[in-house]
Amino acid sequence: QSSVTIYGVIDQTVSRVSGGSSSLYMPPAIEAKHDMWVLKAGDPSRLGFRGVEDLGGGWSAGFQLEHRLMPDTGTTDSPGGSTFWQGRSLVWLRSDRFGEVFAGRDNFAAFFNGVQADPFLFDYGVAALGPDFTLARYTVAGEGGSRVSNQAGWRSPRLGGVALTLSMAAGEGSSTGRRRNEGLNLNYQQGPLYLGLGWDRGATLAGEDRSLINVTASYVLGSVKLFGNIARSRNEAATTPAGQRIRAYNAGLTVAAGGGLVKLAIGRLAPQGGASDSTKLGLGYEYPLSKRTAIRAALATGKTEGQSRTNGCEAGLRVTF
Amino acid sequence: QSSVTIYGVIDQTVSRVSGGSSSLYMPPAIEAKHDMWVLKAGDPSRLGFRGVEDLGGGWSAGFQLEHRLMPDTGTTDSPGGSTFWQGRSLVWLRSDRFGEVFAGRDNFAAFFNGVQADPFLFDYGVAALGPDFTLARYTVAGEGGSRVSNQAGWRSPRLGGVALTLSMAAGEGSSTGRRRNEGLNLNYQQGPLYLGLGWDRGATLAGEDRSLINVTASYVLGSVKLFGNIARSRNEAATTPAGQRIRAYNAGLTVAAGGGLVKLAIGRLAPQGGASDSTKLGLGYEYPLSKRTAIRAALATGKTEGQSRTNGCEAGLRVTF
Amino acid sequence: QSSVTIYGVIDQTVSRVSGGSSSLYMPPAIEAKHDMWVLKAGDPSRLGFRGVEDLGGGWSAGFQLEHRLMPDTGTTDSPGGSTFWQGRSLVWLRSDRFGEVFAGRDNFAAFFNGVQADPFLFDYGVAALGPDFTLARYTVAGEGGSRVSNQAGWRSPRLGGVALTLSMAAGEGSSTGRRRNEGLNLNYQQGPLYLGLGWDRGATLAGEDRSLINVTASYVLGSVKLFGNIARSRNEAATTPAGQRIRAYNAGLTVAAGGGLVKLAIGRLAPQGGASDSTKLGLGYEYPLSKRTAIRAALATGKTEGQSRTNGCEAGLRVTF
């Protein structure tokens, strides 16, 4: 008999983003549709398979395969639709004492600080800060998103609240021309406090050289949780005279209210060297119908200097299994 | 622990269609192969995941993801092979009193009357009436099949035997150039009688405008079940001077015999405005080896006026799980 | 309730193959990367669904769907990535007395003798003999691998240790231009001895005509298992003046040692008619951490006459579920 757990999320959200020229910095496939009603995955919908085997003596081994999908069209949610296991495909060996060695495809280590900094947890809705704000628009060189293929790494055990993840991905001279990618996540989690420092760096054979530093903090104060994040990305593209640098500043909070959760987020993107600043404000409410099912609604507004303001609204249903 | 149910159908059928120029109106990928023995999915083979959560107070929430596949080649069964969850990807919220709100990708509402009108339940065999006959060759504008992406709708509770489904799909200005799609299914089901009325309408940015009306009845008389259906489709293509209209007339019956089920179907397609009429006659027998496993065989003949007759035969094995 | 079993293998292996011009005859996507560290599937990673239903009276029916994947990149492991159920998609009806009728997509019958002849069981590692050696580089005409679509066949019951598989696949005039494929596997398995004879033949509309004969033996001697295999393939390509013939000679052994398994394999490819011979030597060790989890390491060296030697090494982790 098999020891597999099947899990997933399916979310369908009705959404409308006004026709302004500013961006709300949602995932590209969703952002593209301004000025019309759309049905979309408000949360990144997924179907996953995972398993853990206890090897005894404090050791365990496990795997995880996570498919991402667009339930409004029945298609795979990945760039070009070609990566079926877009979410994650990993295998690991873990020890209580020595930590975990993992290998496969996953988000880069600093990404997880970004998620911790977003009251909307990187959902696909209008109000989320998402990777654009919390990671200062950093994407993995040669991959174009937040996932790194061919990754191997080590996660320390949590000692005195501190945990460290180190990872490296071979370039493999693949068709994307990716070079080696390296990442780090050092964080402290104790009681109500989370503090995280993340770093990532990657390059391409074509001369691109990208890096990211982010610092994230969150604090739980009774029914309120506060979020803050600063990130700086750098993209030394060989084809432009100077590399582009972006700084991002984000803050947010959640408040338990009326049986649900009010979410508020504000983000600012400040590209260095002439490009215009962008600001986004998101407000949402999520109400659980059960442990697994929730309804959500959100409003957002975004403005890039020199461009017209864009507003968005949405309401959706999410089923978790 | 997860609450997912895995289900599916795998069917493999050996089939031969003679080399006549008339069509048997099977799915295009299967119809293409005249005058040779083939192995094919005799029933649309599938693998699905679904779950329902009881929310209390007569409310529930659920989801369904259904992959379609061609077991003879191991590939995805969708136009171009690109829609993995071709069968269905849905989420819903249901109340015993207020009915069900659903969102995602599914067949249009009137489609389900077509299935009710086919003794072969839209299998992929030579003898089925299928969507070509029961839906008068109607396909969703801008989608090219019977599924509608970006669909949201409402199903009423069944009251006094009557149930109503209303649905609408945003056009989303997608690459297919689809405009809004609207559909309806009003049916009565009580004791041995089923009566259904369906309607669907869709358009494309390029000026196509399609619509469908169908009326379906079935009646159970002891070991016999009778089927009848009339449908009318209209396709106002901007590129032709006049829109094309097709009328379809179908009748069928099933008879429980010898532990299995005899199936007989006859369909007639009458395009308006000069094009030739087509007639199809299908005869089949399905014998259950268990609740989940069945063997099937069928014969069919089809004739379009002015073209040579085409005959088909097949025998297959179907496993349901 | 569903009767499906989910199973799978996820393997991630760190590997390096030196820059020699000789081939180690690994799967093409993996072989391509000489002279660099890579992360790869060391075992063909998979996720499968299968079920068997007891029909009573010694009869049963079943199905199997097997997806193959590359966990280092999250993509489908099939030529072009387009065959999701690359591993197998089958349905069958089985009788204790009359054997099994099966239909769908699967490896050709003689393939299974090849696997029996490889101490590394066709893993994707540097040291495996794989299909290149044990099947004398035979690939299915018009398919380009070891799988045959549109296959129907019969497996006899095992009588006095002897079992026979016969299969045939319709050509279906498909876009690959494949013609009919026929295969056979006759084997004897009793106590420590396995003897197998395999044959396969296929052709394309373009005039290709390929065939394979292989003879395999293995014998268990206490903690040692010995393997031997001879194969001859023929490829009459219409575009070359003479057909190409390849003979292959393979031997191997496994020894239970230190709680794990030492594996040794040697293979020789002898193309007829001028092309150079190739030799490969592989050595590996596999250590089970549990019934389902193992760590593996291997070394290999390969040399084609007139070309520079290529060496490889690797270490990996495999989780089975």
Side-chain angles (χ1 to χ4, degrees), chain A residues 4-7 10-12 14 33 36-40 46-47 49 67-76 84 289-293 295 317-321, chain B residues 1-4 6 49 51 53-55 61-65 82-86 89-93 101 103-105 148-152 170-174:
Chain A
V4 186
T5 299
I6 302 178
Y7 68 93
I10 313 286
D11 177 295
Q12 285 287 257
V14 175
K33 296 173 178 175
M36 59 178 85
W37 286 101
V38 299
L39 186 71
K40 66 172 189 188
R46 65 197 75 180
L47 174 69
F49 301 83
H67 168 63
R68 296 294 180 101
L69 71 131
M70 296 291 203
D72 51 334
T73 58
T75 53
T76 295
F84 189 82
L289 299 178
S290 76
K291 220 171 150 186
R292 288 196 182 134
T293 303
I295 47 176
L317 170 66
R318 185 182 64 222
V319 175
T320 307
F321 54 96
Chain B
Q1 179 51 25
S2 167
S3 60
V4 186
I6 302 178
F49 301 83
E53 189 190 12
D54 189 339
L55 302 174
F63 75 94
Q64 186 175 9
L65 292 175
S82 60
T83 304
F84 190 82
W85 304 103
Q86 161 73 357
S89 59
L90 277 180
V91 65
W92 64 77
L93 190 60
V101 174
R105 174 181 169 85
V148 185
S149 288
N150 308 313
Q151 201 182 151
E172 300 200 7
S174 62

XYZ file of all heavy atoms in Angstrom, chain A residues 4-7 10-12 14 33 36-40 46-47 49 67-76 84 289-293 295 317-321, chain B residues 1-4 6 49 51 53-55 61-65 82-86 89-93 101 103-105 148-152 170-174:
625
model
N 1.112 7.866 0.044
C 1.042 9.175 -0.583
C -0.118 9.995 -0.011
O -1.197 9.458 0.217
C 0.833 9.021 -2.106
C 0.911 10.365 -2.784
C 1.829 8.055 -2.688
N 0.121 11.258 0.217
C -0.951 12.188 0.553
C -1.215 13.069 -0.657
O -0.289 13.607 -1.256
C -0.532 13.073 1.746
O -0.295 12.239 2.860
C -1.635 14.080 2.082
N -2.485 13.181 -1.017
C -2.883 14.090 -2.082
C -3.415 15.358 -1.441
O -4.185 15.279 -0.481
C -3.979 13.452 -2.955
C -3.481 12.126 -3.536
C -4.408 14.389 -4.058
C -4.524 11.417 -4.356
N -2.989 16.488 -1.946
C -3.472 17.742 -1.389
C -3.673 18.748 -2.511
O -3.203 18.522 -3.635
C -2.472 18.293 -0.356
C -1.174 18.744 -0.990
C -0.991 20.068 -1.375
C -0.148 17.842 -1.238
C 0.178 20.478 -1.971
C 1.016 18.243 -1.839
C 1.184 19.561 -2.202
O 2.351 19.963 -2.812
N -8.116 24.742 -4.904
C -8.761 25.245 -6.112
C -9.480 26.530 -5.728
O -10.289 26.536 -4.802
C -9.773 24.250 -6.712
C -9.213 22.840 -6.804
C -10.240 24.722 -8.090
C -8.207 22.604 -7.878
N -9.158 27.591 -6.408
C -9.767 28.884 -6.133
C -10.284 29.471 -7.438
O -9.613 29.425 -8.469
C -8.716 29.820 -5.520
C -9.271 31.218 -5.287
O -9.606 31.913 -6.274
O -9.350 31.622 -4.124
N -11.500 30.001 -7.380
C -12.040 30.729 -8.521
C -12.537 32.070 -8.039
O -13.316 32.142 -7.077
C -13.167 29.933 -9.196
C -12.662 28.771 -10.030
C -11.995 29.193 -11.333
O -12.544 29.101 -12.414
N -10.756 29.677 -11.220
N -13.858 36.055 -9.219
C -14.337 37.000 -10.229
C -13.662 38.330 -9.949
O -13.672 38.800 -8.810
C -15.864 37.133 -10.161
C -16.347 38.214 -11.129
C -16.519 35.799 -10.496
N -5.196 41.421 -18.365
C -6.594 41.692 -18.687
C -7.160 42.865 -17.895
O -7.853 42.658 -16.905
C -7.407 40.419 -18.486
C -6.954 39.339 -19.463
C -7.599 38.007 -19.217
C -7.121 37.008 -20.280
N -7.601 35.662 -20.041
N -11.865 44.577 -17.906
C -12.899 43.586 -18.238
C -13.085 42.655 -17.036
O -12.194 42.486 -16.212
C -12.509 42.781 -19.468
C -11.208 42.008 -19.362
S -10.857 41.030 -20.849
C -10.049 42.232 -21.893
N -14.271 42.077 -16.941
C -14.518 41.072 -15.918
C -13.836 39.776 -16.329
O -13.939 39.361 -17.479
C -16.012 40.824 -15.742
C -16.688 41.944 -15.026
C -17.435 42.933 -15.570
C -16.635 42.198 -13.619
N -17.865 43.792 -14.595
C -17.396 43.374 -13.386
C -16.028 41.566 -12.532
C -17.562 43.916 -12.108
C -16.207 42.104 -11.270
C -16.954 43.259 -11.056
N -13.154 39.162 -15.374
C -12.521 37.874 -15.674
C -12.792 36.898 -14.538
O -13.067 37.292 -13.408
C -10.985 37.991 -15.859
C -10.649 38.917 -17.011
C -10.312 38.440 -14.583
N -12.715 35.615 -14.891
C -12.689 34.551 -13.893
C -11.249 34.046 -13.866
O -10.654 33.789 -14.919
C -13.636 33.410 -14.304
C -13.800 32.299 -13.264
C -14.610 32.788 -12.079
C -14.464 31.078 -13.888
N -10.679 33.915 -12.679
C -9.263 33.549 -12.588
C -9.024 32.737 -11.317
O -9.879 32.669 -10.434
C -8.405 34.811 -12.549
C -8.634 35.610 -11.283
C -7.682 36.774 -11.107
C -7.858 37.353 -9.697
N -7.132 38.593 -9.489
N -3.655 24.283 -7.238
C -2.631 23.240 -7.262
C -3.202 21.870 -6.942
O -4.267 21.748 -6.345
C -1.549 23.573 -6.253
C -2.027 23.557 -4.822
C -1.064 24.273 -3.898
N -1.174 25.713 -4.056
C -0.446 26.614 -3.374
N 0.449 26.190 -2.499
N -0.621 27.899 -3.553
N -2.456 20.857 -7.334
C -2.736 19.470 -6.962
C -1.386 18.851 -6.654
O -0.485 18.880 -7.489
C -3.402 18.732 -8.124
C -3.621 17.238 -7.926
C -4.676 16.969 -6.866
C -4.025 16.580 -9.244
N 1.208 15.804 -4.536
C 1.426 14.468 -3.989
C 2.666 14.549 -3.111
O 3.691 15.050 -3.556
C 1.662 13.458 -5.115
C 0.538 13.364 -6.089
C 0.426 14.264 -7.136
C -0.427 12.385 -5.950
C -0.627 14.192 -8.035
C -1.486 12.303 -6.844
C -1.589 13.204 -7.885
N 1.728 20.138 -8.820
C 1.248 20.668 -10.091
C 0.505 21.970 -9.842
O -0.225 22.096 -8.868
C 0.305 19.629 -10.715
C -0.496 20.122 -11.870
N 0.070 20.545 -13.042
C -1.839 20.258 -12.037
C -0.897 20.918 -13.887
N -2.059 20.751 -13.299
N 0.695 22.946 -10.714
C -0.059 24.191 -10.653
C -0.986 24.282 -11.854
O -0.580 23.923 -12.961
C 0.890 25.395 -10.648
C 1.785 25.462 -9.420
C 0.962 25.718 -8.175
N 1.768 25.783 -6.985
C 2.138 26.932 -6.394
N 1.773 28.075 -6.916
N 2.855 26.912 -5.295
N -2.200 24.765 -11.629
C -3.160 24.809 -12.723
C -4.006 26.067 -12.688
O -4.104 26.742 -11.670
C -4.072 23.590 -12.681
C -5.094 23.517 -11.555
C -6.461 23.177 -12.109
C -4.676 22.462 -10.549
N -4.587 26.370 -13.837
C -5.532 27.467 -13.983
C -6.927 26.849 -14.083
O -7.307 26.360 -15.160
C -5.228 28.243 -15.269
C -3.881 28.931 -15.285
S -3.829 30.305 -14.106
C -2.510 31.311 -14.818
N -7.708 26.830 -13.005
C -8.992 26.121 -13.071
C -10.011 26.798 -13.989
O -10.993 26.169 -14.374
C -9.485 26.097 -11.625
C -8.703 27.123 -10.905
C -7.438 27.341 -11.651
N -9.792 28.060 -14.353
C -10.752 28.710 -15.255
C -10.627 28.195 -16.681
O -11.570 28.269 -17.459
C -10.611 30.235 -15.214
C -9.178 30.701 -15.413
O -8.247 29.935 -15.101
O -8.981 31.819 -15.902
N -9.454 27.658 -17.031
C -9.265 27.149 -18.395
C -8.815 25.688 -18.429
O -8.711 25.100 -19.507
C -8.207 27.974 -19.151
O -6.986 27.915 -18.410
C -8.634 29.426 -19.304
N -8.514 25.100 -17.276
C -8.087 23.705 -17.244
C -6.659 23.480 -17.704
O -6.272 22.348 -17.979
N -5.873 24.541 -17.796
C -4.507 24.410 -18.304
C -3.478 24.470 -17.184
O -3.771 24.868 -16.064
C -4.204 25.536 -19.312
O -4.502 26.789 -18.697
C -5.074 25.385 -20.548
N -2.258 24.055 -17.530
C -1.139 24.102 -16.596
C -0.707 25.541 -16.368
O -0.601 26.313 -17.311
C 0.032 23.273 -17.167
O -0.373 21.909 -17.218
C 1.265 23.385 -16.295
N 4.809 20.838 -15.989
C 3.628 20.321 -15.302
C 3.786 20.443 -13.788
O 2.883 20.874 -13.093
C 3.394 18.857 -15.690
C 2.075 18.344 -15.195
C 0.917 18.612 -15.898
C 1.983 17.608 -14.023
C -0.316 18.167 -15.439
C 0.764 17.155 -13.557
C -0.394 17.436 -14.275
N -15.491 29.421 5.726
C -16.767 28.711 5.879
C -16.548 27.413 6.635
O -17.486 26.821 7.160
C -17.370 28.418 4.506
C -17.683 29.653 3.650
C -18.222 29.224 2.294
C -18.692 30.563 4.354
N -15.312 26.961 6.641
C -14.907 25.764 7.377
C -13.389 25.815 7.439
O -12.776 26.783 6.991
C -15.362 24.499 6.649
O -14.516 24.253 5.542
N -12.809 24.758 7.957
C -11.351 24.720 8.021
C -10.749 24.719 6.619
O -9.636 25.166 6.402
C -10.952 23.420 8.736
C -9.779 23.596 9.693
C -9.597 22.339 10.512
C -8.139 22.141 10.895
N -7.941 20.857 11.575
N -11.509 24.203 5.648
C -10.961 24.002 4.309
C -11.484 24.954 3.247
O -10.936 25.029 2.161
C -11.268 22.584 3.840
C -10.451 21.555 4.567
C -10.498 20.254 3.797
N -9.758 19.241 4.507
C -10.181 18.016 4.726
N -11.365 17.652 4.262
N -9.442 17.160 5.371
N -12.605 25.598 3.533
C -13.255 26.409 2.500
C -13.373 27.848 2.981
O -13.727 28.089 4.126
C -14.654 25.823 2.207
O -14.511 24.471 1.813
C -15.361 26.601 1.121
N -14.316 32.148 1.659
C -14.649 33.143 0.648
C -13.788 34.372 0.907
O -13.423 34.665 2.051
C -16.155 33.502 0.629
C -16.667 33.775 2.053
C -16.965 32.360 0.031
C -18.118 34.218 2.075
N -13.961 32.169 -4.181
C -14.206 30.989 -3.344
C -12.983 30.078 -3.437
O -12.503 29.783 -4.533
C -15.434 30.241 -3.880
C -15.736 28.855 -3.299
C -16.104 28.941 -1.824
C -16.873 28.198 -4.077
N -12.483 29.642 -2.296
C -11.310 28.776 -2.278
C -11.597 27.484 -1.514
O -12.074 27.512 -0.382
C -10.139 29.483 -1.608
C -8.842 28.667 -1.665
C -7.708 29.361 -0.944
N -7.996 29.469 0.475
C -7.750 30.543 1.207
N -7.220 31.610 0.669
N -8.052 30.542 2.490
N -11.316 26.368 -2.157
C -11.461 25.064 -1.527
C -10.065 24.458 -1.362
O -9.291 24.425 -2.311
C -12.344 24.131 -2.385
C -12.387 22.733 -1.799
C -13.744 24.698 -2.508
N -9.756 24.018 -0.160
C -8.468 23.388 0.128
C -8.714 21.922 0.455
O -9.702 21.594 1.089
C -7.810 24.076 1.346
O -7.762 25.469 1.096
C -6.408 23.558 1.588
N -7.854 21.056 -0.018
C -8.044 19.634 0.293
C -6.702 18.972 0.557
O -5.666 19.608 0.437
C -8.810 18.909 -0.825
C -8.218 19.050 -2.199
C -7.365 18.084 -2.728
C -8.512 20.153 -2.989
C -6.837 18.203 -3.999
C -7.975 20.291 -4.264
C -7.135 19.320 -4.760
N -5.210 14.808 6.961
C -5.531 13.816 5.905
C -6.432 14.444 4.838
O -7.260 15.295 5.101
C -6.187 12.572 6.536
C -6.590 11.495 5.558
C -5.458 11.101 4.605
O -4.275 11.248 4.897
N -5.811 10.608 3.407
N -6.240 13.958 3.659
C -6.916 14.506 2.496
C -8.287 13.864 2.304
O -8.544 12.741 2.710
C -6.034 14.246 1.288
O -6.721 14.484 0.106
N -9.193 14.587 1.664
C -10.555 14.105 1.458
C -10.841 13.928 -0.022
O -11.951 14.103 -0.474
C -11.534 15.128 2.033
O -11.335 16.363 1.358
N -9.821 13.590 -0.785
C -9.942 13.514 -2.230
C -10.390 12.122 -2.664
O -9.922 11.123 -2.123
C -8.588 13.824 -2.892
C -8.726 13.883 -4.388
C -7.995 15.086 -2.347
N -10.323 9.714 -5.976
C -9.766 9.534 -7.310
C -10.714 8.628 -8.079
O -11.166 7.620 -7.546
C -8.377 8.886 -7.243
C -7.442 9.738 -6.392
C -7.797 8.687 -8.629
C -6.068 9.129 -6.236
N -10.112 13.861 -9.943
C -9.972 14.100 -8.507
C -11.154 14.968 -8.093
O -11.420 15.987 -8.722
C -8.667 14.849 -8.221
C -7.435 14.114 -8.675
C -7.006 14.196 -9.989
C -6.722 13.321 -7.790
C -5.887 13.507 -10.425
C -5.597 12.629 -8.215
C -5.181 12.714 -9.538
N -13.746 16.274 -4.521
C -13.967 16.280 -3.085
C -15.154 17.140 -2.749
O -15.455 18.105 -3.447
N -17.024 18.910 0.770
C -16.935 19.148 2.200
C -18.284 19.622 2.703
O -18.866 20.561 2.156
C -15.858 20.196 2.497
C -15.575 20.313 3.987
C -14.701 21.513 4.318
O -14.510 22.368 3.438
O -14.238 21.596 5.450
N -18.789 18.963 3.735
C -20.046 19.367 4.357
C -19.764 20.561 5.264
O -18.962 20.469 6.182
C -20.605 18.183 5.164
C -22.007 18.459 5.660
O -22.392 19.642 5.740
O -22.717 17.494 5.969
N -20.410 21.701 4.972
C -20.172 22.903 5.766
C -21.208 23.064 6.869
O -21.150 24.015 7.659
C -20.197 24.137 4.860
C -19.195 24.150 3.711
C -19.431 25.350 2.813
C -17.768 24.166 4.238
N -19.308 22.498 0.048
C -18.416 23.063 -0.968
C -17.671 21.912 -1.618
O -17.511 20.851 -1.013
C -17.419 24.036 -0.345
N -17.251 22.090 -2.840
C -16.568 20.990 -3.501
C -15.755 21.444 -4.692
O -15.796 22.608 -5.088
N -15.012 20.488 -5.226
C -14.203 20.761 -6.412
C -14.149 19.498 -7.254
O -14.403 18.389 -6.757
C -12.779 21.180 -6.025
C -11.945 20.014 -5.573
C -11.125 19.327 -6.468
C -12.019 19.564 -4.265
C -10.387 18.214 -6.060
C -11.291 18.462 -3.850
C -10.473 17.795 -4.743
N -13.814 19.667 -8.513
C -13.606 18.522 -9.396
C -12.584 18.893 -10.455
O -12.674 19.948 -11.083
C -14.925 18.105 -10.054
C -14.807 16.821 -10.880
C -16.133 16.338 -11.423
O -17.129 17.040 -11.332
N -16.152 15.151 -12.005
N -11.610 18.018 -10.630
C -10.603 18.163 -11.685
C -10.628 16.886 -12.498
O -10.456 15.800 -11.943
C -9.198 18.328 -11.097
C -8.895 19.608 -10.336
C -7.505 19.524 -9.732
C -8.993 20.807 -11.269
N -3.198 20.480 -25.258
C -2.663 21.474 -24.334
C -3.511 21.703 -23.091
O -3.075 22.348 -22.156
C -2.469 22.794 -25.068
O -3.714 23.237 -25.562
N -4.735 21.193 -23.060
C -5.578 21.389 -21.883
C -5.609 20.109 -21.073
O -6.390 19.198 -21.362
C -7.008 21.811 -22.296
O -6.913 22.979 -23.112
C -7.858 22.128 -21.073
N -4.739 20.043 -20.064
C -4.619 18.806 -19.295
C -5.938 18.453 -18.616
O -6.382 17.316 -18.672
C -3.510 18.942 -18.250
C -3.179 17.640 -17.589
C -2.334 16.738 -18.212
C -3.724 17.289 -16.370
C -2.039 15.511 -17.622
C -3.439 16.067 -15.777
C -2.586 15.176 -16.405
N -6.571 19.445 -17.974
C -7.847 19.207 -17.285
C -8.990 19.485 -18.249
O -9.853 20.316 -17.986
C -7.917 20.067 -16.019
C -6.762 19.810 -15.123
C -5.664 20.594 -14.946
C -6.555 18.647 -14.307
N -4.790 20.002 -14.060
C -5.311 18.807 -13.651
C -7.290 17.478 -14.056
C -4.790 17.848 -12.773
C -6.772 16.539 -13.189
C -5.539 16.725 -12.558
N -8.954 18.794 -19.360
C -9.911 19.005 -20.440
C -11.335 18.668 -19.995
O -12.299 19.315 -20.399
C -9.507 18.134 -21.642
C -10.587 17.869 -22.683
C -10.873 19.098 -23.526
O -10.322 20.159 -23.313
N -11.763 18.943 -24.489
N -12.767 21.478 -14.722
C -12.048 21.995 -13.540
C -12.958 23.012 -12.883
O -13.147 24.099 -13.372
C -10.691 22.593 -13.910
O -10.799 23.648 -14.817
N -13.532 22.624 -11.760
C -14.639 23.362 -11.152
C -14.495 23.472 -9.649
O -13.916 22.608 -8.999
C -15.954 22.612 -11.408
C -16.680 22.801 -12.725
C -17.931 21.947 -12.724
C -17.044 24.256 -12.964
N -15.075 24.531 -9.127
C -15.237 24.672 -7.686
C -16.683 25.133 -7.465
O -17.257 25.789 -8.340
C -14.181 25.659 -7.136
C -14.380 27.060 -7.661
C -14.130 25.650 -5.641
N -17.297 24.729 -6.365
C -18.694 25.135 -6.157
C -19.041 25.272 -4.682
O -18.358 24.738 -3.811
C -19.665 24.153 -6.821
C -19.636 22.777 -6.238
C -20.193 22.354 -5.070
C -18.989 21.641 -6.814
N -19.935 21.027 -4.880
C -19.212 20.565 -5.927
C -18.265 21.428 -7.980
C -18.701 19.284 -6.175
C -17.767 20.152 -8.225
C -17.990 19.104 -7.338
N -20.124 25.978 -4.458
C -20.678 26.182 -3.125
C -22.170 25.864 -3.258
O -22.837 26.397 -4.152
C -20.471 27.643 -2.719
C -20.771 28.032 -1.283
C -19.903 27.266 -0.298
C -20.515 29.549 -1.113
N -23.765 27.535 -6.654
C -22.983 28.452 -7.480
C -21.710 27.730 -7.876
O -21.046 27.145 -7.011
C -22.647 29.739 -6.701
C -21.711 30.625 -7.515
C -23.922 30.484 -6.347
N -18.039 27.677 -10.573
C -17.157 28.483 -11.414
C -16.005 27.624 -11.911
O -15.510 26.762 -11.185
C -16.610 29.673 -10.633
N -15.600 27.852 -13.141
C -14.474 27.121 -13.712
C -14.714 26.784 -15.170
O -15.302 27.559 -15.916
N -14.226 25.599 -15.545
C -14.375 25.121 -16.907
C -15.266 23.895 -16.894
O -15.046 22.974 -16.109
C -12.992 24.759 -17.457
C -13.017 24.096 -18.831
C -11.587 23.764 -19.251
N -11.533 22.915 -20.412
C -11.591 23.357 -21.667
N -11.694 24.644 -21.887
N -11.557 22.516 -22.677
N -16.653 25.215 -22.008
C -16.590 26.665 -21.905
C -15.676 27.016 -20.732
O -15.958 26.655 -19.590
C -17.993 27.253 -21.676
C -17.929 28.776 -21.683
C -18.971 26.759 -22.733
N -14.586 27.703 -21.032
C -13.693 28.199 -19.978
C -14.295 29.445 -19.348
O -15.197 30.061 -19.915
C -12.322 28.539 -20.578
O -11.626 27.376 -20.919
N -13.780 29.823 -18.187
C -14.176 31.073 -17.521
C -15.676 31.136 -17.261
O -16.296 32.189 -17.355
C -13.780 32.294 -18.368
C -12.338 32.263 -18.772
O -11.474 32.006 -17.944
N -12.063 32.482 -20.041
N -16.251 29.997 -16.915
C -17.686 29.905 -16.748
C -18.089 30.084 -15.284
O -17.451 29.527 -14.387
C -18.143 28.511 -17.237
C -19.601 28.411 -17.601
C -20.025 27.003 -18.037
O -21.159 26.629 -17.868
N -19.107 26.220 -18.582
N -19.137 30.828 -15.045
C -19.726 30.895 -13.711
C -21.220 30.698 -13.874
O -21.805 31.149 -14.861
C -19.431 32.235 -13.044
N -17.325 34.828 -19.176
C -16.735 36.074 -19.657
C -15.863 35.786 -20.872
O -15.232 34.738 -20.962
C -15.900 36.702 -18.545
N -15.853 36.719 -21.825
C -15.046 36.533 -23.030
C -13.567 36.691 -22.740
O -12.728 35.967 -23.241
N -13.227 37.635 -21.897
C -11.844 37.887 -21.462
C -10.920 38.264 -22.604
O -9.701 38.239 -22.449
C -11.274 36.687 -20.696
C -12.073 36.345 -19.450
C -11.295 35.525 -18.438
O -10.102 35.316 -18.624
O -11.915 35.107 -17.447
N -11.496 38.600 -23.769
C -10.654 39.041 -24.888
C -9.461 38.148 -25.118
O -8.376 38.597 -25.466
N -9.664 36.853 -24.920
C -8.540 35.918 -24.966
C -8.060 35.737 -26.394
O -8.632 36.257 -27.344
C -8.969 34.579 -24.382
O -10.006 34.038 -25.160
